Amino acid sequence: FDFLGLRNLTVIADTLRLIREQGKTPPDLEDLGFDDPETYRLLQRGDTTGVFQLESSGMKNMLVRLKPESFNDIIAAVALYRPGPLGSGMVEQYIDGKHGLREITYLLPELEPILKETQGTILYQEQVMQIAQALGSFSLSEADDLRKAMGKKLGDVMAKQKVRFLEGAAANKIDREAASTIFDQMAKFAEYGFNKSHSATYAVVTYQTAYLKAHYPVEFMASLLSSESGDTDGVVKFLAECKAHDVVVAPPDINAGGAAFTVSNGKILFGLAAVKNVGEGAVEVILECRQNGPFKDFFDFFERVDLRRVNKRVIEALVKCGAFDSFHTSRAVLFASIDLGLEHGQRVQRDQNDPQMGLFDFAAPAVTESFKPALEKAPDWPLDLTLSYEKEALGLFVSGHPLDAHADILLQFADSDTLSLREKPDGAMTRMGGIIRSVKHHVTKKGDAMAFVTIEDDKGSVELVVFPKLYAEASHLLVPETAVIVQALVQKEKEEDAPKLLGDMERGSKIAAVEDAEETWTGSVHIHADLTILDRPALEKLKSILARHPGTRSCTLHLRGARHQAVLELPPPYGVRPDRRLRKSVTDLLGFAAFESRCEPAKALERPGRRYFKKGA
């Protein structure tokens, strides 16, 4: 029962349905078992975008350090990643204990069976109850009262409970000083303790979603996209995740797609209902007509659909988004032929509805086929126009993005994108790449020129305020459709606010054309590896990966052992080119946080007294 109204159970159900529709047998999630190696490898890599409870970057980093190997580790991860445990050092205690980086000791032998599963740390509220029962001879009801008092910090009740606990401990011949210390530890950790039964039920859904992502990534990502279909930012986030996993997301298909995101031939198809200006009524007509067989060609579509509900505006949007691409005719030609198709379809439907034509029904198919017009001729649209029309119809780019041509440069020099900007603190200096979409020029009261610029990447858009000094230096770049890299300050009035960027040259802001990034910022690659879990064959694989990506950027290895760390700057023959393929190869081998691309740091210069534009100003 999903009392919280979250989307996760729907995502699971939709994934199982899509698996079934592909002719495959879906897994029985009620009898799954919690020992699947692929699922744990996915968790250990921190590859958890879309996985219940494990999506944040902080959680991903914790998973890479934790290296979950059992269902108990997943339960612990859900309980650990909260402000209390993170701030109290419980996370480090658990991880170090799990990997043998600290000796796990117990103040009393009676504590070992209770705390062994959590590396000697009191993590769960149930453990507080078990300790009270084992040492103080509390009944379970009394132990639950103690748990409540500790969690709510009820001082008077706690004092009475401590007396009761020490009396019970004395009766069990436990040293009074040790018992008092244990009670105080219980009180401390109870402030952060999580209900294990709560964490375990969450962990079941966590494991199920991780299992589906590990074994059925296409169907799982299609379900996630459908679940976010009303939120462009959510769709963009999961499209980026599909791209990172080489899962193809194609435009809608008039002959294969459904209203929502579907799977066909190993790729995800955009839903027809997502196309702007189409509407549910038109989609219903199209899907109903398709029950009698696929549309044979462009004119067959006009002959069969109700042209009162599937009008010219609808068809233009379908052509622009690529819904007719399966006819293997350019979008430009189809777009130019829409009026011809409408005229042909109306004529055919009028003839079919004419009572007098009933006498000649046997001849109708031949007449229709012989009188089909030829498609108009038109030059292909250039790529930028094709993508622009696609974004107009779908609200985002699907088959490509204008920044794709600069992917390697952005990976090398940018340290954030419009999605990760949300996790940057207010006032941080960051560097991101994007396409300039709009520019509003402005003149200050002092007569200085400045601008408000909208920058877009493949994950969303952000506003950049360009102050006068930076405007004077970079105004020639502030032209719509220009690809740039911007180094600017993050501004968020509140943590939950959408960020904006402030281009203040006196604080170190810069704007450069993508082509000039190397001249403006230099970079290096740093690879982080944990020697306690890394064997020689993995190091040999890493060496082979670096050899396959030669380049001019220096590469440094950060090797972390149980007691020591080593930093090795590799010699020039191991210089690398930090592109997307290198990042994927390294993170697949060593985990989510293993690959780090460093440039000249995006650091804000000190300049007190700067007043920035606030929201609404």
Side-chain angles (χ1 to χ4, degrees):
F1 293 93
D2 183 4
F3 294 107
L4 299 179
L6 304 178
R7 59 190 172 86
N8 306 90
L9 298 186
T10 302
V11 167
I12 290 172
D14 285 348
T15 302
L16 298 178
R17 174 181 55 79
L18 289 172
I19 293 168
R20 200 175 293 111
E21 288 176 359
Q22 300 310 299
K24 298 181 280 191
T25 302
D28 181 1
L29 297 186
E30 297 300 319
D31 188 29
L32 196 57
F34 295 105
D35 56 359
D36 177 61
E38 281 298 315
T39 300
Y40 286 105
R41 278 194 281 271
L42 178 139
L43 296 175
Q44 291 166 7
R45 293 195 304 268
D47 183 13
T48 51
T49 299
V51 175
F52 181 55
Q53 289 286 301
L54 307 185
E55 292 199 71
S56 73
S57 60
M59 174 62 94
K60 290 177 180 180
N61 283 317
M62 191 185 83
L63 288 172
V64 170
R65 293 162 54 212
L66 177 62
K67 299 291 179 190
E69 298 173 294
S70 68
F71 188 61
N72 274 337
D73 284 341
I74 301 176
I75 299 173
V78 173
L80 283 167
Y81 195 74
R82 294 175 299 111
L86 287 168
S88 68
M90 290 171 69
V91 173
E92 284 69 28
Q93 288 181 34
Y94 186 98
I95 292 174
D96 289 348
K98 181 179 186 305
H99 295 309
L101 301 179
R102 71 174 177 89
E103 184 182 356
I104 300 173
T105 57
Y106 304 94
L107 198 57
L108 294 171
E110 291 86 348
L111 294 178
E112 183 170 355
I114 298 172
L115 302 181
K116 187 174 182 179
E117 68 165 311
T118 54
Q119 315 303 329
T121 302
I122 302 173
L123 177 58
Y124 305 121
Q125 292 176 359
E126 287 88 342
Q127 289 173 316
V128 170
M129 296 171 63
Q130 287 175 297
I131 293 170
Q133 190 182 20
L135 303 188
S137 296
F138 278 49
S139 69
L140 283 175
S141 176
E142 290 173 326
D144 194 41
D145 289 340
L146 173 62
R147 175 192 65 81
K148 292 174 184 175
M150 286 182 168
K152 294 178 181 178
K153 302 180 184 177
L154 303 177
D156 293 343
V157 179
M158 289 268 287
K160 293 176 182 177
Q161 291 281 19
K162 185 170 184 177
V163 172
R164 165 76 179 84
F165 180 80
L166 293 177
E167 289 173 351
N172 289 322
K173 298 181 180 179
I174 293 171
D175 178 74
R176 181 180 178 85
E177 187 177 344
S180 179
T181 301
I182 290 168
F183 188 91
D184 292 341
Q185 286 181 352
M186 290 163 60
K188 175 187 173 185
F189 285 108
E191 296 177 17
Y192 314 126
F194 201 60
N195 186 299
K196 185 183 179 184
S197 58
H198 187 176
S199 188
T201 50
Y202 270 20
V204 170
V205 181
T206 296
Y207 184 88
Q208 290 174 342
T209 50
Y211 180 92
L212 292 173
K213 184 175 183 180
H215 292 275
Y216 304 94
V218 179
E219 292 84 357
F220 182 67
M221 294 309 301
S223 300
L224 285 171
L225 285 163
S226 291
S227 76
E228 294 281 5
S229 56
D231 179 5
T232 301
D233 289 343
V235 171
V236 167
K237 178 179 80 170
F238 289 126
L239 285 177
E241 183 70 1
C242 289
K243 187 175 182 179
H245 286 77
D246 298 322
V247 173
V248 177
V249 180
D253 188 327
I254 206 73
N255 272 332
F261 288 86
T262 53
V263 177
S264 177
N265 297 321
K267 62 185 178 182
I268 298 173
L269 297 179
F270 228 88
L272 289 165
V275 184
K276 294 182 179 181
N277 298 322
V278 171
E280 293 181 9
V283 173
E284 287 174 9
V285 170
I286 292 167
L287 297 180
E288 186 178 335
C289 289
R290 216 172 65 197
Q291 290 177 1
N292 298 320
F295 299 106
K296 298 174 186 175
D297 54 44
F298 196 48
F299 292 117
D300 183 48
F301 176 84
F302 286 93
E303 293 169 15
R304 292 166 56 186
V305 300
D306 183 346
L307 295 174
R308 292 168 298 180
R309 297 173 69 185
V310 184
N311 57 30
K312 181 177 180 179
R313 190 181 182 191
V314 169
I315 298 167
E316 284 179 344
L318 290 171
V319 171
K320 285 180 176 179
C321 76
F324 293 101
D325 285 359
S326 57
F327 293 154
H328 304 294
T329 304
S330 79
R331 297 180 192 180
V333 167
L334 296 179
F335 194 83
S337 304
I338 290 175
D339 286 338
L340 201 60
L342 286 168
E343 184 182 333
H344 170 74
Q346 289 163 353
R347 183 175 65 251
V348 169
Q349 292 182 24
R350 186 171 57 247
D351 290 346
Q352 288 174 343
N353 294 326
D354 187 342
Q356 297 183 40
M357 290 298 294
L359 296 170
F360 305 101
D361 279 347
F362 66 90
V367 170
T368 301
E369 192 66 34
S370 61
F371 282 95
K372 273 187 181 178
L375 290 166
E376 298 280 11
K377 293 182 179 179
D380 287 349
W381 292 334
L383 179 60
D384 58 347
L385 182 60
T386 300
L387 294 175
S388 175
Y389 278 151
E390 193 174 281
K391 184 171 188 259
E392 175 190 319
L394 296 173
L396 40 83
F397 298 105
V398 177
S399 59
H401 191 279
L403 284 177
D404 288 348
H406 310 294
D408 290 346
I409 295 289
L410 296 181
L411 180 63
Q412 195 167 354
F413 295 101
D415 61 16
S416 66
D417 52 42
T418 51
L419 199 60
S420 62
L421 274 180
R422 295 179 177 275
E423 298 180 7
K424 297 278 186 181
D426 182 53
M429 182 67 84
T430 191
R431 192 182 297 136
M432 66 160 282
I435 302 290
I436 293 177
R437 284 297 170 214
S438 65
V439 182
K440 292 181 181 177
H441 299 278
H442 181 75
V443 177
T444 69
K445 291 179 179 178
K446 293 182 178 179
D448 298 324
M450 59 175 293
F452 298 88
V453 181
T454 300
I455 296 180
E456 178 184 85
D457 64 10
D458 61 347
K459 298 179 178 65
S461 61
V462 66
E463 183 185 44
L464 167 69
V465 182
V466 183
F467 290 112
K469 287 190 177 180
L470 183 60
Y471 182 92
E473 181 183 80
S475 60
H476 64 287
L477 295 172
L478 303 182
V479 178
E481 308 308 317
T482 303
V484 295
I485 292 182
V486 174
Q487 181 168 296
L489 295 156
V490 176
Q491 184 186 48
K492 288 189 287 187
E493 288 189 21
K494 297 178 183 176
E495 188 61 32
E496 63 272 16
D497 284 350
K500 69 167 57 172
L501 295 175
L502 304 177
D504 180 359
M505 191 170 174
E506 294 180 351
R507 295 290 306 278
S509 294
K510 298 177 185 177
I511 301 176
V514 169
E515 297 82 7
D516 298 331
E518 191 163 11
E519 208 175 298
T520 310
W521 298 285
T522 59
S524 62
V525 167
H526 295 254
I527 296 174
H528 301 264
D530 186 347
L531 288 178
T532 62
I533 54 174
L534 193 68
D535 54 15
R536 185 178 183 86
L539 282 170
E540 293 287 353
K541 272 188 185 177
L542 177 60
K543 179 181 177 183
S544 175
I545 289 170
L546 298 180
R548 292 200 306 270
H549 296 82
T552 58
R553 293 291 172 262
S554 65
C555 183
T556 302
L557 295 185
H558 299 255
L559 304 175
R560 187 175 66 253
R563 301 180 189 279
H564 304 285
Q565 296 186 23
V567 179
L568 306 176
E569 186 170 347
L570 300 182
Y574 288 96
V576 295
R577 177 183 175 85
D579 59 18
R580 188 170 37 185
R581 292 180 296 277
L582 175 61
R583 179 186 290 271
K584 186 174 188 308
S585 297
V586 172
T587 54
D588 282 350
L589 177 65
L590 301 178
F592 167 77
F595 187 93
E596 180 188 2
S597 181
R598 293 185 189 174
C599 306
E600 175 189 316
K603 186 178 179 182
L605 304 177
E606 291 296 328
R607 186 181 185 277
R610 161 62 78 187
R611 295 181 61 195
Y612 293 120
F613 288 91
K614 295 296 182 185
K615 207 168 188 177

